[in-house]
């Protein structure tokens, strides 16, 4: 499951993410955010090279506990997770190469 096009409202609990084995890309944002909209083509293009990477796109905002548990403050925020542990974070990425480099580091280990 590579790129996910819509932000999910029904999201797992933080404990489920922390217990999840393997690689995971969390993307926090909303569908009306201009920064999120601008990042979508970049994220989608990079994820084409990682079809097995699980991408979970999470609608964030006030009262959304998962985003608060990761201390998300700006959108989009990409959090790369390996075996339940955050290994890297990108906030408002604007170039494809930054996302590609982070995913390469995530999958290299």
């Amino acid at each position: 499951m590579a790129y996910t096009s819509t932000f999910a409202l029904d999201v797992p609990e933080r404990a489920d993410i922390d217990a999840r084995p393997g690689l995971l890309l969390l993307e926090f944002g909303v569908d009306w955010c201009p920064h999120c909209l601008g990042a979508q083509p970049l994220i989608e293009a990079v994820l084409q090279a990682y079809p097995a990477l699980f991408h979970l796109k999470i609608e964030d905002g006030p009262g959304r506990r998962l985003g608060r548990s990761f201390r998300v403050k700006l959108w989009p925020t990409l959090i790369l997770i390996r075996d339940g542990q955050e290994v890297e974070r990108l906030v408002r990425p604007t170039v494809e190469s930054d996302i590609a480099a982070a995913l390469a580091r995530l999958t290299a280990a």
Side-chain angles (χ1 to χ4, degrees):
M1 171 188 199
Y3 180 74
T4 302
S5 61
T6 57
F7 287 97
L9 293 170
D10 185 25
V11 298
E13 295 292 324
R14 174 66 189 260
D16 296 329
I17 289 174
D18 292 345
R20 188 180 190 284
L23 305 177
L24 171 64
L25 170 61
L26 296 178
E27 176 185 351
F28 290 92
V30 290
D31 60 5
W32 51 262
C33 164
H35 300 287
C36 299
L37 293 170
Q40 292 316 296
L42 308 174
I43 297 166
E44 184 175 12
V46 172
L47 285 180
Q48 288 180 14
Y50 298 92
L53 179 63
F54 191 76
H55 174 221
L56 184 55
K57 190 177 226 172
I58 300 165
E59 185 171 301
D60 194 36
R64 306 276 182 189
R65 293 187 328 204
L66 189 58
R68 302 300 68 76
S69 75
F70 280 101
R71 295 186 180 106
V72 172
K73 300 207 184 293
L74 296 172
W75 302 324
T77 294
L78 306 179
I79 299 177
L80 293 86
I81 295 177
R82 180 185 301 113
D83 296 326
Q85 298 295 314
E86 180 177 338
V87 293
E88 193 153 352
R89 178 182 296 234
L90 297 169
V91 178
R92 290 192 175 166
T94 57
V95 293
E96 195 174 308
S97 61
D98 290 346
I99 301 168
L103 287 175
R105 287 188 295 273
L106 176 69
T107 58

